[in-house]
């Protein structure tokens, strides 16, 4: 997650991650300041940037969507359960 906040010196808007712990932010004007996500003063006059940058993310074989996988497994389970419970009502081809 990112936070957008103005530089204390030049008021230029800076975007930086807040899930990395304490970090030092350096502005183009040369001013640098320490950012702590636990400091409530940090969030005054700031905006959250919740966009996901999909262009830079490389897909690998191990990346998969757990929600999509779980919904597919649940649907397969319910289809199997329905077929077992209604076996006598299924067409002959599906019973074999």
């Amino acid at each position: 997650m990112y936070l957008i906040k103005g530089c204390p010196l030049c008021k230029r808007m800076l975007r930086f991650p807040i899930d990395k712990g304490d970090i030092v932010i350096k502005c183009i004007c040369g001013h640098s300041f320490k950012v702590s996500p636990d400091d409530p003063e940090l969030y005054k006059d700031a905006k959250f940037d919740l966009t996901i940058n999909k262009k830079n993310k490389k897909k690998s074989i191990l990346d998969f969507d757990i929600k999509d996988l779980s919904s597919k497994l649940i649907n397969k389970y319910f289809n199997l359960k329905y077929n077992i419970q209604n076996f006598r009502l299924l067409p002959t081809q599906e019973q074999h």
Side-chain angles (χ1 to χ4, degrees):
M1 183 183 321
Y2 291 93
L3 189 71
I4 300 173
K5 185 170 175 78
C7 172
L9 190 62
C10 68
K11 304 300 181 203
R12 182 184 307 258
M13 298 308 281
L14 303 171
R15 179 178 175 260
F16 51 89
I18 59 171
D19 56 351
K20 302 289 184 191
D22 293 352
I23 57 174
V24 175
I25 306 298
K26 186 171 184 179
C27 182
I28 295 174
C29 68
H31 181 70
S32 62
F33 56 98
K34 187 175 179 182
V35 174
S36 174
D38 297 330
D39 183 18
E41 294 293 320
L42 172 69
Y43 301 103
K44 290 184 180 177
D45 301 327
K47 296 184 284 186
F48 286 99
D49 182 12
L50 302 175
T51 59
I52 299 173
N53 190 359
K54 292 185 178 181
K55 290 181 182 177
N56 295 337
K57 186 176 180 183
K58 295 180 180 179
K59 286 254 181 182
S60 70
I61 297 172
L62 299 177
D63 289 343
F64 60 91
D65 188 9
I66 191 72
K67 290 180 183 178
D68 186 40
L69 180 64
S70 64
S71 66
K72 285 181 182 178
L73 287 173
I74 290 169
N75 284 335
K76 289 209 182 262
Y77 168 74
F78 281 121
N79 285 337
L80 179 65
K81 182 180 175 185
Y82 174 82
N83 286 340
I84 290 172
Q85 289 175 340
N86 299 307
F87 184 76
R88 291 179 291 135
L89 305 175
L90 292 174
T92 309
Q93 286 181 337
E94 288 186 34
Q95 286 182 359
H96 290 298

